[in-house]
Amino acid sequence: MGTYHLDLGDAQTEELDDVIHLLVDDAELDVDAFISSDQGSDEPRRGSLVIVRNDERSAAATRWVQAVEDLTTEQDVVIIAGDPASPEARRLHLTKAWAATSFHEDEDEDPEAIALAFADIAVK
């Protein structure tokens, strides 16, 4: 897929360094393969994934991270695979997502990584 972007709404996005560790219904899946081949499901598919922010962080995304880290809230999250301006870009929809934990993926470069748990996942 190449690049991923966190969709913040109102045509605002933040480019992510990576989306990793996709777990759907207790099965670890390759993120790119899932986005390319997901056929949907009538049943909710619970799981989690990790988004890794890069050094160019927008204030809007930082506010979003602070909001999603409030474990009393759940919100829908959209991750765009590819160019956010392209109508062809696939969108990964996480329903009722919350931050399961925040951690550092690489202590040397210190990128911010956020593990998101979700009640359902779909590609549109």
Side-chain angles (χ1 to χ4, degrees), residues 33-98:
F34 182 81
I35 289 172
S36 296
S37 65
D38 181 49
Q39 300 298 314
S41 173
D42 292 335
E43 298 295 319
R45 295 176 291 173
R46 301 184 72 81
S48 63
L49 56 74
V50 174
I51 60 172
V52 182
R53 296 177 74 194
N54 64 30
D55 290 334
E56 296 179 29
R57 299 176 183 162
S58 71
T62 298
R63 286 190 300 276
W64 176 85
V65 167
Q66 292 166 346
V68 80
E69 284 182 328
D70 176 355
L71 298 179
T72 63
T73 64
E74 295 176 341
Q75 57 185 284
D76 294 346
V77 174
V78 176
I79 298 170
I80 302 168
D83 179 0
S86 171
E88 306 297 318
R90 307 276 290 178
R91 283 154 170 79
L92 188 61
H93 291 257
L94 309 177
T95 304
K96 294 183 179 177
W98 67 95

Side-chain angles (χ1 to χ4, degrees), residues 19-31 34 45-50 92 94 116-121:
V19 177
I20 55 176
H21 303 302
L22 174 61
L23 190 65
V24 178
D25 292 333
D26 297 322
E28 188 160 353
L29 305 173
D30 178 79
V31 177
F34 182 81
R45 295 176 291 173
R46 301 184 72 81
S48 63
L49 56 74
V50 174
L92 188 61
L94 309 177
L116 297 174
F118 49 83
D120 193 21
I121 187 171

